[in-house]
Amino acid sequence: MTITADNSPSIYVSGRWITAEQRESEAVIDPASGGEISKVPHATASDLDHALESADIGFKEWRSTPGDQRGAVLHRAAALIRERADSLAAIATREQGKPLAEAKGEIIGAAMILEFHAGEAMRIYGRVLPRPAGSRSLVLKQPVGPVAAFCAWNFPIINVVRKISPAIAAGCSIILKPSEETPASAVAVMHCFVDAGLPPNVAQLVFGVPDDISRHLLSAPQTRKLSFTGSVPVGKHLFSLAAKTVMKMTLELGGHAPVIIFDDCDLDATIDTLVGHKFRNAGQVCISPTRFYVQEGIYDEFAKRFAAQTKALKVGPGVDPETKMGPMANSRRPDAIEAMVENATDKGARLLAGGRRLAGDGFFFQPTVIADAPLDSLAMNEEPFGPLALLRPFGKIEEAIEHANRLPYGLAAYCFTQDARRQAVLGEQIETGMVCINNVRTSWPDAPFGGIKESGFGSEDGPEGIDAHLITKAVHSN
Ligand code: NAD
């Protein structure tokens, strides 16, 4: 599958595509080889001003477009994404590194999110409150205005779709800055929206120096909402920029997901599920399971079998159909994981699998399992965002819950037990936005996806994701 000229990294402003030849640019790197794939253009300050003007015009037009017409565009975009799944997957794998099968799964997930939002565009309701003598109050829900959105490279298709689809379902316009590391994926998604009939001013796509772009867009009077997917430190920084104009915001930030495994679990199924889930996308997933608390009675057995299955995973380029885990997405990640492994083993942890980079080109790192990771090790406190599983034993449920809630992160948690009382207590007491019991699926288009504590603010997907793009107004009339 080739990347067509059509999807070469470009900026899309006021319905015009601007290529890397027309602007300053930076290289886009293939994580499987370390070689250059393409160049991505940087938007100038004047491009950003044009994008803001267009977003303002687009908002006025789109907010008065009926919900069924907005939904129809989303439905057509979903159909195009399904139709183009093979070429989209090839682009995502080349830029980001994940195995092709995972990229295809991501694309189906993106289409499902679009289809859900197409329906939600028709379900934006208010309330009527009857008053004495025939008067009444109306509670109106209206689109908040132009959205400035920024997202990470780890799901180069779905992250883009998760930003654009609720905004346009709600009647907002959007200026999106996806990652400069996966630009062609975002361009290919934008082509689906354009070909689906989205009017030119409603969505703009820009790339550049992230901090310059966010400062420019978030200080502009036109921008009424911030939506960000990325790390906790950048999320906090954007939160402070957005505070200056008190705009609405949704922040999907990092996580450090605890996994609590009790001795009554179905051990075979639990290990199979968790090895697959841990090393999906080389662990570069915000909801990736990272801190495995295993009950004492099965700790040694779990560690031995989990490590053996991990060692059997085939690591290689994402385009190889045999590959179960691809390279890490950029040169920052292997450095970070290597430092975490060294720090944990220096402090007395046992390395059960992996622990090293692979020789040769690209950013490959072995799937890694560490047992008895000390609580003061770097990896037990900072999000690894890589192929690293950290195991520790626990005794009673109270101890496991205390460990799970120990960090300021609060995105996802996983629990494996057959005991209904334990399941209820875990669902109630774990401090995360999503708790999975005997499964690992956190993302459903109709359910809120998001974190609490420092993992985020607000949710995407579900009716909550649309509501985050609406304002509430009360109209009292006689
Ligand atoms: P990062 O926060 O530095 O970058 C994430 C994205 O934000 C990138 O596209 C980057 O270009 C952009 N960015 C960086 N600085 C910015 C700024 N000042 N203004 C605007 N945009 C800016 O993180 P990273 O190391 O590239 O990505 C990994 C992190 O992202 C992890 O911590 C991970 O948990 C987080 N993440 C979270 C989710 C989620 O849904 N919660 C999803 C994906 C990634």
Side-chain angles (χ1 to χ4, degrees):
M1 206 65 61
T2 53
I3 297 176
T4 62
D6 210 23
N7 289 323
S8 61
S10 308
I11 291 164
Y12 182 69
V13 172
S14 318
R16 243 181 79 227
W17 291 99
I18 302 168
T19 63
E21 291 74 47
Q22 296 166 277
R23 292 289 182 272
E24 272 185 28
S25 63
E26 70 180 281
V28 181
I29 303 299
D30 173 359
S33 70
E36 184 175 317
I37 304 175
S38 60
K39 290 206 186 297
V40 56
H42 282 195
T44 60
S46 141
D47 293 331
L48 297 178
D49 286 337
H50 283 138
L52 285 160
E53 282 159 26
S54 292
D56 206 30
I57 296 166
F59 174 56
K60 291 185 180 114
E61 176 188 351
W62 196 240
R63 67 178 301 172
S64 51
T65 302
D68 62 334
Q69 290 178 30
R70 299 199 303 270
V73 170
L74 285 157
H75 267 306
R76 284 197 293 272
L80 289 170
I81 281 198
R82 287 184 186 278
E83 212 175 285
R84 299 175 189 176
D86 285 346
S87 69
L88 284 166
I91 295 168
T93 289
R94 178 130 192 245
E95 288 189 329
Q96 198 267 341
K98 66 181 64 181
L100 264 179
E102 282 186 28
K104 281 192 191 155
E106 177 179 344
I107 287 151
I108 301 308
M112 288 167 64
I113 288 173
L114 282 162
E115 285 149 4
F116 171 76
H117 285 109
E120 286 297 284
M122 298 282 287
R123 288 190 285 270
I124 297 172
Y125 311 127
R127 297 200 308 279
V128 179
L129 308 173
R131 302 291 181 215
S135 65
R136 61 194 183 176
S137 295
L138 301 180
V139 180
L140 304 181
K141 291 281 186 182
Q142 297 178 322
V144 63
V147 178
F150 309 87
C151 60
W153 39 263
N154 61 336
F155 286 92
I157 305 287
I158 228 169
N159 284 350
V160 168
V161 165
R162 268 214 174 111
K163 295 295 172 224
I164 301 181
S165 48
I168 66 174
C172 297
S173 58
I174 181 166
I175 304 175
L176 174 65
K177 191 206 78 61
S179 170
E180 286 68 29
E181 290 168 332
T182 53
S185 304
V187 166
V189 171
M190 186 57 90
H191 276 299
C192 293
F193 283 105
V194 173
D195 295 348
L198 189 68
N201 292 317
V202 177
Q204 330 277 318
L205 191 66
V206 295
F207 298 100
V209 176
D211 199 42
D212 293 352
I213 297 190
S214 52
R215 282 179 192 277
H216 197 117
L217 297 181
L218 294 176
S219 63
Q222 294 95 331
T223 306
R224 293 312 313 146
K225 178 181 164 82
L226 157 67
S227 182
F228 174 68
T229 297
S231 62
V232 174
V234 175
K236 288 180 179 174
H237 168 62
L238 297 185
F239 194 116
S240 71
L241 292 181
K244 293 196 178 124
T245 56
V246 194
M247 65 179 68
K248 225 173 156 86
M249 64 179 97
T250 304
L251 302 173
E252 296 287 355
L253 308 180
H256 204 325
V259 192
I260 305 178
I261 303 153
F262 289 86
D263 54 14
D264 68 344
C265 74
D266 175 341
L267 196 56
D268 292 343
T270 303
I271 292 174
D272 280 352
T273 305
L274 284 173
V275 170
H277 193 50
K278 169 69 250 180
F279 299 105
R280 180 170 76 114
N281 203 5
Q284 302 164 115
V285 186
C286 51
I287 48 88
S288 185
T290 44
R291 295 175 293 142
F292 291 67
Y293 293 100
V294 186
Q295 209 164 19
E296 284 153 355
I298 56 164
Y299 181 68
D300 290 337
E301 174 75 4
F302 179 91
K304 192 172 87 193
R305 290 172 55 187
F306 188 86
Q309 279 187 227
T310 298
K311 282 183 187 160
L313 293 172
K314 182 163 180 336
V315 180
V319 289
D320 179 345
E322 299 294 309
T323 292
K324 290 285 180 260
M325 193 184 97
M328 306 201 70
N330 52 54
S331 58
R332 301 188 295 281
R333 299 318 309 159
D335 290 348
I337 300 301
E338 193 164 58
M340 283 184 169
V341 171
E342 254 177 52
N343 169 276
T345 49
D346 284 353
K347 285 178 179 286
R350 287 182 293 133
L351 186 60
L352 301 187
R356 293 207 168 77
R357 293 159 195 260
L358 296 191
D361 295 333
F363 312 130
F364 292 95
F365 201 93
Q366 294 173 321
T368 299
V369 182
I370 284 183
D372 311 337
L375 284 183
D376 66 349
S377 59
L378 192 59
M380 285 299 286
N381 293 283
E382 285 180 20
E383 178 185 32
F385 217 62
L388 179 57
L390 303 149
L391 316 186
R392 282 184 66 86
F394 77 90
K396 294 208 163 83
I397 185 170
E398 294 76 14
E399 191 192 335
I401 292 173
E402 199 181 311
H403 277 297
N405 293 342
R406 185 178 67 91
L407 298 182
Y409 298 98
L411 191 57
Y414 307 92
C415 311
F416 291 84
T417 175
Q418 303 296 328
D419 184 295
R421 193 195 65 85
R422 278 181 183 155
Q423 292 177 0
V425 170
L426 292 160
E428 194 66 39
Q429 294 190 8
I430 291 186
E431 296 168 356
T432 56
M434 294 163 287
V435 179
C436 291
I437 297 174
N438 294 329
N439 78 88
V440 289
R441 180 146 179 200
T442 51
S443 176
W444 297 89
D446 57 351
F449 181 97
I452 57 170
K453 295 161 79 176
E454 293 189 12
S455 286
F457 190 91
S459 304
E460 296 189 298
D461 300 346
E464 291 81 359
I466 293 280
D467 204 54
H469 292 77
L470 301 170
I471 52 139
T472 305
K473 184 190 282 178
V475 179
H476 307 289
S477 59
N478 281 337

